[in-house]
Amino acid sequence: MINRGQIHIYTGNGKGKTTAALGLSLRAVCAGKKVFFGQFIKGMDYSELKASEYLPGFEIKQLGRDCFIFNDPTEDDIVAARKGLNYCKDIIVKGEHDLVVLDELNIALYYKLFTVEEVIKMLEHKKEETEIVITGRYAPKELVDLADLVTEMKEIKHYYKEGLEARKGIEF
Ligand code: ATP
Ligand code: MG
């Protein structure tokens, strides 16, 4: 029990889910751990994609299609997301990373790009010591039940309501 890797979920409508996962990744890398950070829904050219240049032990990969889903996901979105899920499954099965982040996986589920059953099956392959973080709004109840830690980022105020656009280094 002592060294068992835990399953975290960062969800909710407030800012801070992906950045919390990045903060934890930084801490883990600085403790000499290996991190895999998979990003399911690509929205922008996120600055963190360059993190491997700065942080040995940090591996980041965009999974899914090269554009944001605005309406109904297309067959291409589904194929790409499923490929991404398989990639993460291989990472989890191999167990070479101490921390595996599945960023925006909840959003991929929300868009029904794959099913929660498939995600639970993937998590069953987790090695005892691997720590897992899942982020994204709308975490489904099945994952909340399964997780060891669930944090909800709740929006109290957000400057986007004042019309401030996403800024490089802050939002992406
Ligand atoms: P961050 O990556 O900053 O930690 P997050 O992962 O908690 O944020 P997401 O739901 O992934 O949040 O949203 C991505 C980004 O879009 C966030 O930086 C957030 O502040 C911003 N955002 C959220 N809602 C809106 C909105 N309605 N309009 C504009 N920007 C928004
Ligand atoms: Mg996010």
Side-chain angles (χ1 to χ4, degrees), residues 91-139:
I91 293 272
I92 288 171
V93 168
K94 277 191 200 140
E96 290 169 359
H97 297 82
D98 304 287
L99 171 64
V100 175
V101 179
L102 307 166
D103 189 36
E104 312 302 353
L105 178 127
N106 292 334
I107 301 294
L109 283 172
Y110 177 76
Y111 282 111
K112 299 190 167 48
L113 302 182
F114 39 72
T115 67
V116 72
E117 288 76 23
E118 289 172 286
V119 173
I120 290 170
K121 251 197 191 136
M122 173 177 77
L123 295 174
E124 282 167 3
H125 290 285
K126 176 180 110 52
K127 291 229 162 46
E128 180 92 354
E129 58 280 11
T130 309
E131 196 91 9
I132 307 254
V133 173
I134 294 170
T135 85
R137 293 155 191 236
Y138 322 122

Side-chain angles (χ1 to χ4, degrees), residues 14-20 46 104 137 153 158 160 170-171:
K15 175 174 166 73
K17 300 171 289 292
T18 298
T19 46
Y46 296 103
E104 312 302 353
R137 293 155 191 236
M153 309 296 178
H158 196 310
Y160 74 74
I170 306 292
E171 272 79 39

Side-chain angles (χ1 to χ4, degrees), residues 62-75:
Q62 287 202 313
L63 313 158
R65 272 188 71 212
D66 208 10
C67 63
F68 198 76
I69 302 165
F70 285 108
N71 299 308
D72 289 339
T74 64
E75 195 53 39

Side-chain angles (χ1 to χ4, degrees), residues 21-77:
L22 284 167
L24 188 66
S25 300
L26 175 68
R27 178 179 282 167
V29 167
C30 293
K33 293 181 187 290
K34 274 190 75 179
V35 176
F36 174 76
F37 199 105
Q39 285 195 315
F40 272 96
I41 308 282
K42 182 178 174 181
M44 288 175 184
D45 193 12
Y46 296 103
S47 301
E48 56 263 33
L49 289 168
K50 287 202 278 184
S52 308
E53 290 173 27
Y54 301 91
L55 301 167
F58 184 86
E59 194 183 326
I60 184 162
K61 189 171 166 64
Q62 287 202 313
L63 313 158
R65 272 188 71 212
D66 208 10
C67 63
F68 198 76
I69 302 165
F70 285 108
N71 299 308
D72 289 339
T74 64
E75 195 53 39
D76 285 351
D77 290 318

